[in-house]
Amino acid sequence: RCAELQIQLTEAVSTMAGQKELIAKLEHDLSTIQALSTVHRPDAEGAAVPSLEKIPEPIKEATALFYGHPPSPGTSFPEGQVDSLLSIISSQRERFRARNQELEGENRMMQHTVHALQSELDNLRADNIKLYEKIKFLQSYPGRGGSRDDTEQRYSSQYEERLDPFSSFSRKERQRKYLSLSPWDKATLSM
């Protein structure tokens, strides 16, 4: 279940990153279109028209309005074309924004679920070690022969490690030293 949630979390993060890239590309394309509308291009061979501006006028107008430049005084465009282009772009931006918020919500839920599962896993490990301790106690009575299976062998090392005073002391000292570090030192240590 935890691995499945991790996979879903990874997919959500990659989708969100892809959408951020698409938004950045859209913004870049819009700025490129604005830049292209100001660049003079020479005529191509065999061109009958004196200029090869292939960018539609509503796009030029919309990008000019987007960047706050007033429209050219000599050109007048139908208001419907500019408004329709702006509405298309703004609705697309809003769809991406809503999807991004949805993915961020899913990401938060997945992280919460992963933390809950991790704490449950830690609790189950602690319970298993306690159960192994009880098994060990019951096997210490005379006349109790012990056939050890895989489960007992798996938890015996964890049980013995918990009883070892040196490893316990070492772990506590390491934790105390870590907590006494400054945030910058903690960041450096984690790197």
Side-chain angles (χ1 to χ4, degrees), residues 23-38 58-71 82 86 89:
I23 290 170
K25 185 176 185 287
L26 177 64
E27 291 171 353
H28 176 72
D29 289 347
L30 286 174
S31 66
T32 304
I33 288 173
Q34 174 64 29
L36 286 177
S37 66
T38 60
I59 293 177
K60 290 181 197 175
E61 178 72 20
T63 54
L65 289 175
F66 179 75
Y67 287 108
H69 301 300
V82 174
L86 284 176
I89 292 172

Side-chain angles (χ1 to χ4, degrees), residues 3-180:
E4 188 177 89
L5 291 174
Q6 283 289 76
I7 291 170
Q8 289 177 355
L9 174 66
T10 306
E11 289 174 355
V13 168
S14 66
T15 303
M16 185 174 69
Q19 288 186 353
K20 283 183 180 180
E21 288 176 16
L22 287 174
I23 290 170
K25 185 176 185 287
L26 177 64
E27 291 171 353
H28 176 72
D29 289 347
L30 286 174
S31 66
T32 304
I33 288 173
Q34 174 64 29
L36 286 177
S37 66
T38 60
V39 174
H40 175 70
R41 294 183 180 200
D43 292 341
E45 285 185 302
V49 196
S51 174
L52 287 178
E53 291 283 337
K54 299 222 180 219
I55 300 171
E57 292 302 319
I59 293 177
K60 290 181 197 175
E61 178 72 20
T63 54
L65 289 175
F66 179 75
Y67 287 108
H69 301 300
S72 307
T75 59
S76 72
F77 302 106
E79 194 63 33
Q81 288 181 346
V82 174
D83 289 341
S84 68
L85 183 62
L86 284 176
S87 67
I88 290 170
I89 292 172
S90 63
S91 66
Q92 185 179 23
R93 184 191 68 209
E94 292 304 317
R95 281 194 310 272
F96 282 140
R97 182 177 291 151
R99 180 66 179 147
N100 189 19
Q101 288 173 348
E102 179 184 320
L103 289 174
E104 285 175 353
E106 288 178 13
N107 187 7
R108 280 191 296 277
M109 286 184 353
M110 293 294 180
Q111 286 177 350
H112 177 71
T113 305
V114 166
H115 288 302
L117 289 173
Q118 187 63 43
S119 64
E120 184 180 344
L121 181 64
D122 292 341
N123 289 338
L124 288 174
R125 282 186 181 143
D127 289 346
N128 285 340
I129 291 173
K130 287 178 188 175
L131 288 174
Y132 179 78
E133 182 178 3
K134 290 179 182 179
I135 290 171
K136 188 92 166 156
F137 175 75
L138 290 174
Q139 285 180 347
S140 68
Y141 282 112
R144 286 274 203 193
S147 66
R148 297 176 61 115
D149 62 351
D150 269 351
T151 308
E152 288 181 39
Q153 290 175 356
R154 190 173 344 140
Y155 292 104
S156 67
S157 62
Q158 293 178 11
Y159 172 71
E160 296 296 331
E161 182 180 307
R162 200 176 80 178
L163 291 180
D164 185 15
F166 296 111
S167 65
S168 173
F169 176 75
S170 173
R171 211 174 18 254
K172 287 177 185 175
E173 279 297 303
R174 225 177 295 131
Q175 182 68 20
R176 185 182 65 79
K177 287 284 189 182
Y178 181 76
L179 292 176
S180 68

